[in-house]
C-alpha cells in the first residue's frame, strides 16, 4: 500500500508539472526538440552562461565545461518518518532556460536521476556540497555516479542545483506514513569533462 501511494503521488506530481508537455511527441515536436538540441550544442561551443550566482562551495572543479543550463519546476515529496518529515523524492520537469514554451527536455526524479525526454540519455548523481538558503531548499553541487546513453547527459561529470525557490519540508508534526509534495523551482547546470 505504501509503494502504491508513493507511486500515485509521484505520478500525480509529474503529471501536474508536465500537463500539456508530454502528451505525445509528434514529428514536428521531435524535429523541434532536435533543433533545440542542435542549438544547445552550438551554444555550448560559444560558451553557455549559468545566469545565477554560484557560491564558491558549489563551484565545479577545473577541467570541466558547462554543457547545459535548464530551468526546472516540480515538487519535493516528503514522507513522515518517526514523527518528522524526511525527503522521499523530487519530481521535476526541466526545459531549456531560454525556451518560453517550457517544452520538456528532461525529467528529474529519485536517485537522484535526470533522464532526457529527447534522446533517453540519463545521469545519476550524489551531492558532494551544499549551500543553505533561507526559506528554500539548499543549492547543491552533485557529482555524477553513472551515465547511460549517447545523448545530452552522456559523460556528465557534475550538476549544480542553483537559484532554488520553495520545496521546503513542512514544519508541522506528522503521523503515520503521511506524505506531502511541496512545489519548488531551480536552475540545473550540467558539466562534462573538458576535452
Amino acid at each position: 500500500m505504501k509503494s502504491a501511494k508513493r507511486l500515485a503521488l509521484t505520478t500525480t506530481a509529474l503529471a501536474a508539472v508536465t500537463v500539456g508537455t508530454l502528451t505525445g511527441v509528434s514529428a514536428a515536436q521531435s524535429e523541434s526538440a532536435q533543433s533545440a538540441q542542435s542549438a544547445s550544442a552550438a551554444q555550448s561551443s560559444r560558451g553557455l552562461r549559468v545566469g545565477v550566482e554560484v557560491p564558491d562551495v558549489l563551484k565545479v572543479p577545473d577541467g570541466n565545461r558547462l554543457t547545459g543550463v535548464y530551468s526546472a519546476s516540480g515538487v519535493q515529496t516528503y514522507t513522515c518518518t518517526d514523527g518528522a518529515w524526511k525527503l522521499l523524492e523530487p519530481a521535476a520537469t526541466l526545459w531549456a532556460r531560454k525556451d518560453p514554451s517550457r517544452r520538456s527536455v528532461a525529467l528529474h526524479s529519485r536517485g537522484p536521476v535526470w533522464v532526457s525526454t529527447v534522446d533517453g540519455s540519463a545521469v545519476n548523481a550524489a551531492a558532494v556540497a551544499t549551500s543553505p538558503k533561507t526559506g528554500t531548499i539548499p543549492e547543491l553541487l552533485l557529482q555524477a555516479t553513472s551515465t547511460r546513453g549517447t545523448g545530452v547527459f552522456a559523460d556528465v561529470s557534475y550538476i549544480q542545483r542553483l537559484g532554488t525557490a520553495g520545496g521546503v519540508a513542512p514544519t508541522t508534526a506528522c503521523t503515520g506514513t503521511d506524505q506531502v509534495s511541496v512545489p519548488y523551482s531551480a536552475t540545473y547546470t550540467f558539466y562534462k569533462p573538458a576535452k
Side-chain angles (χ1 to χ4, degrees):
M1 181 65 175
K2 196 175 193 180
S3 294
K5 186 175 181 182
R6 183 179 327 131
L7 180 61
L9 278 171
T10 302
T11 303
T12 301
L14 278 173
V17 297
T18 59
V19 138
T21 305
L22 297 177
T23 56
V25 178
S26 67
Q29 286 173 317
S30 180
E31 287 174 20
S32 176
Q34 289 172 350
S35 296
Q37 190 175 7
S38 298
S40 176
Q43 214 175 15
S44 67
S45 68
R46 293 191 305 266
L48 293 173
R49 299 197 191 285
V50 173
V52 293
E53 189 174 329
V54 180
D56 287 342
V57 70
L58 303 183
K59 301 272 184 185
V60 173
D62 289 340
N64 294 280
R65 63 183 171 83
L66 181 63
T67 60
V69 180
Y70 302 100
S71 296
S73 69
V75 295
Q76 297 282 314
T77 298
Y78 297 91
T79 188
C80 188
T81 305
D82 299 325
W85 293 109
K86 303 287 183 198
L87 180 64
L88 176 64
E89 63 189 349
T93 301
L94 282 68
W95 63 92
R97 193 153 183 258
K98 304 279 186 182
D99 181 3
S101 72
R102 295 172 55 153
R103 181 167 300 157
S104 172
V105 296
L107 298 177
H108 173 42
S109 60
R110 186 189 313 198
V113 64
W114 293 261
V115 179
S116 169
T117 58
V118 176
D119 59 35
S121 62
V123 57
N124 285 70
V128 293
T130 184
S131 179
K133 288 179 67 179
T134 304
T136 184
I137 55 176
E139 295 179 319
L140 300 173
L141 174 64
L142 302 106
Q143 186 170 17
T145 57
S146 66
T147 62
R148 77 166 186 259
T150 58
V152 295
F153 294 139
D155 303 320
V156 165
S157 52
Y158 286 91
I159 302 162
Q160 294 167 317
R161 180 175 76 186
L162 304 168
T164 56
V168 177
T171 56
T172 57
C174 62
T175 59
T177 57
D178 291 345
Q179 292 185 351
V180 63
S181 294
V182 182
Y184 89 103
S185 62
T187 296
Y188 287 95
T189 63
F190 294 82
Y191 290 78
K192 295 183 181 184
K195 294 185 181 184

